[in-house]
Amino acid sequence: MQSSAGAVVILGTGGTIAGTAARPDDLVGYTSGALGADTLIAAIPALQGQAIEAETLARLDSSDMDHATWAALRERAAFHLARAEVAAVVVTHGTDTLEETAYFLHRTLAAPKPLVLTAAMRPATALSADGPQNLLDAVTVAREPGTRGVLAVLAGRVHAGADLRKLHGWRVDAFGSGDAGPVAVVEDGRLRRFRDWPDAPLHAAAALLGDAAGWPVVDIVTSHAGARGRTLDAVVAAGAQGVVIAGTGNGSVHRELEQAARRAIAAGVPVRRASRCLLGGVVGAPAGALPSAGVLTPPQARVELMLDLLDAQPRVSPGAAPGQPAPPVRPA
Ligand code: ASP
């Protein structure tokens, strides 16, 4: 396979892939993000001598991922992808919120060059750590000529960022692409592709992200037996500007929660109805039903609604009279 010329920039954000435990047989009691990106690269003989740059952006357990880190990651990734001498960016990340970060980047980053996320289910100190092979595979995919878009490489599979789902809590092979299936596999260092690389349809709000502190607050409430409308009321009272309901089955919502959702909508807080099922999303839009999130998972729908709200915020353009909203800004 002929590789793309140019450097691969590895941005470390933490996670189990950079985690260390006191004992090699301890797969659970470790500290996420203990190692920097340069240490992860140094552990992989096949990467030595390659044009690789390392930058450690964060050392987070990704269950603590936050919007400020997303904004910084997107900014650094965009910076490096714009450099002529850079072929691709690889991001090392925790597995817990990997699919959320993948979706956020997919919708907000123009990535004509590839951005490849990777992670691990076992810490770097484990007897059979999965991180080094995942990182090597991610670099292999990043260097593949013609690769584009936001991707994730885990356990030999290449997933489109928008399709990624964590399906298992602790197994090494924990990720899938839902009904779409993986884009490709990496077999012994070679890529076998099943379909075209994903396109990167930018959300219009990508041009408006600005300071993460100003991003709209969107919360997720789950529907379940015995669900209480007061839970959703409380989320709105606590400042949610949008709510995603992780509904049952094909997006059905407990009637108590549905009544609360209608109260929220009447108060100007938009609500989207997703499914808590791992696969399938929500199909169909019966008359009178709460607005559907379609194929999006609840965390993806949360990102999408956050971007929709950001896009809908009134803006003042430099030339506009005070108090006058600017015309909608669309990325080029
Ligand atoms: N809690 C870890 C994280 O998401 C789990 C992992 O990376 O596998 O950072």
Side-chain angles (χ1 to χ4, degrees), residues 14-17 30 32 60-63 93-97 120-121 166:
T16 299
I17 191 168
Y30 56 86
S32 278
L60 279 177
D61 185 310
S62 82
S63 53
H93 195 286
T95 61
D96 287 346
T97 54
M121 293 298 287
K166 187 172 183 180

